[in-house]
Amino acid sequence: MSGFRSAVVTFPGSNCDRDMADALEKISGTAPYRVWHGDADLPERLDFIALPGGFSYGDYLRSGAMAARSPIMQAVVAAAGRGVPVLGVCNGFQVLTESGLLPGALMRNAGIRFVCREVALTVENSQSLFTGGYSKGQRILIPVAHHDGNYFADDATLERLEGEGRVAFRYAEPVNGSSRDIAGILNEAGNVLGMMPHPERMIEAAHGGTDGRALFESAIKGLVDA
Amino acid sequence: MKVRVYVSLKNGVLDPQGRAIHHAIEGLGIHGVKDVRAGKMLELEVDDTVTDAALDEMAKKLLANMVIENYRIERIAA
């Protein structure tokens, strides 16, 4: 597994960047590059880019809105366009929708409250780079911690996402009012995944579960074998 | 010159904050309010070189999220 070249982007206010870097290092065997929001360029020949959770720019204006316009995001958008896998978790998902890499928007939770607990998810697509380690319909337990996780898109977009198998994960219980209980979606090419739940917080027994591990393992294995 | 940009949720987009505010208004004992929609207003101080097109561009690209929000721009004479 050595030689796996990944990067974790840190924005001012990111707070899950260390957890993300730790998960990538533990599972791939190689420490990721740490990239700052103000950097203009990413390291060369990356295999994987992660946008972590947190509250970039204090969630000013809208969650993820400012981060989506930061210098490094232009490089991330370009890399995603070249097919480099990009994973955005929680605030990272919000940054992906705000940057236009994923459709829709993440709005205030329908119940107004911040939700911080483990939730059951259903794996909807087990064929993607990120979800190949799961089986379709599998129930997994992954924690969420967010205020703005209520996924919204117009009906035509939702139909398209469903029809193209781009709903990766769905909540198996009420969480935040998301349209069609969507917890995570893929882009058209399948190399960008955004999700509100935190797989990096479920990778070893000490976390209370390891259901998040297969996401990183399948992505890393898929890339190394390719 | 002052410019005000009003950002509001599109019709049909659920507004949990507006709903909570509505509930709180009823808690004041004031009745007759049928609905509340929360939005935001941004006040910009601009010089004369800032065109309507530039204001439109900043509203579309940053100030509003066109997936869920609309905006309205108002120039206020000094």
Side-chain angles (χ1 to χ4, degrees), chain A residues 43-196:
Chain A
E44 287 177 2
R45 304 188 316 281
L46 282 178
D47 298 312
F48 194 92
I49 300 166
L51 306 182
F55 301 86
S56 57
Y57 299 83
D59 279 350
Y60 291 173
L61 194 61
R62 294 176 306 277
S63 301
M66 312 289 279
R69 279 87 184 163
S70 63
I72 195 64
M73 278 309 294
Q74 295 186 29
V76 172
V77 170
R82 290 194 305 270
V84 178
V86 179
L87 169 67
V89 168
C90 199
N91 188 224
F93 185 10
Q94 294 159 345
V95 174
L96 288 174
T97 57
E98 280 285 345
S99 68
L101 281 174
L102 290 174
L106 290 144
M107 304 186 54
R108 181 53 40 103
N109 292 345
I112 294 286
R113 296 212 166 125
F114 193 96
V115 181
C116 184
R117 60 182 161 90
E118 284 171 15
V119 300
L121 304 179
T122 309
V123 178
E124 291 291 329
N125 174 341
S126 61
Q127 304 296 313
S128 79
L129 173 69
F130 304 94
T131 58
Y134 300 104
S135 49
K136 185 171 163 61
Q138 187 181 343
R139 284 285 179 100
I140 58 173
L141 208 58
I142 305 275
V144 295
H146 61 248
H147 211 167
D148 297 316
N150 179 354
Y151 183 74
F152 175 88
D154 59 42
D155 286 336
T157 304
L158 290 170
E159 282 305 316
R160 217 174 131 216
L161 288 172
E162 303 265 14
E164 294 172 356
R166 289 165 57 190
V167 178
F169 301 104
R170 228 185 279 275
Y171 299 111
E173 56 185 282
V175 174
N176 53 26
S178 280
S179 303
R180 306 192 188 189
D181 296 319
I182 286 172
I185 56 168
L186 295 155
N187 70 340
E188 202 169 356
N191 67 311
V192 178
L193 170 67
M195 61 191 290
M196 290 311 295

Side-chain angles (χ1 to χ4, degrees), chain A residues 61-62 65-66 69 98 104-112 150 152-154, chain B residues 9 12-14 16-17 19-20 40 42 60-65 67-69:
Chain A
L61 194 61
R62 294 176 306 277
M66 312 289 279
R69 279 87 184 163
E98 280 285 345
L106 290 144
M107 304 186 54
R108 181 53 40 103
N109 292 345
I112 294 286
N150 179 354
F152 175 88
D154 59 42
Chain B
L9 282 176
V13 174
L14 182 75
Q17 293 181 91
R19 211 167 50 182
K40 51 176 89 89
L42 300 113
K60 278 201 178 77
K61 285 191 176 165
L62 178 66
L63 305 180
N65 178 339
V67 175
I68 48 172
E69 294 170 327

Side-chain angles (χ1 to χ4, degrees), chain B residues 2-60:
Chain B
K2 238 189 232 328
V3 170
R4 288 194 180 135
V5 182
Y6 295 88
V7 179
S8 55
L9 282 176
K10 287 184 176 170
N11 286 333
V13 174
L14 182 75
D15 179 11
Q17 293 181 91
R19 211 167 50 182
I21 295 164
H22 190 187
H23 189 71
I25 291 171
E26 284 171 344
L28 297 175
I30 301 169
H31 302 290
V33 177
K34 291 195 179 86
D35 192 24
V36 178
R37 307 280 286 168
K40 51 176 89 89
M41 190 272 285
L42 300 113
E43 208 166 71
L44 283 60
E45 190 67 45
V46 302
D47 61 38
D48 296 340
T49 60
V50 177
T51 60
D52 286 352
L55 289 170
D56 253 342
E57 185 184 346
M58 64 180 89
K60 278 201 178 77

Side-chain angles (χ1 to χ4, degrees), chain A residues 10-48:
Chain A
T10 299
F11 302 99
S14 294
N15 64 8
C16 304
D17 44 336
R18 198 166 175 281
D19 287 2
M20 183 64 84
D22 189 56
L24 284 167
E25 178 168 2
K26 281 192 171 128
I27 298 171
S28 75
T30 310
Y33 291 93
R34 305 297 296 273
V35 181
W36 183 234
H37 74 113
D39 294 351
D41 297 306
L42 289 159
E44 287 177 2
R45 304 188 316 281
L46 282 178
D47 298 312
F48 194 92

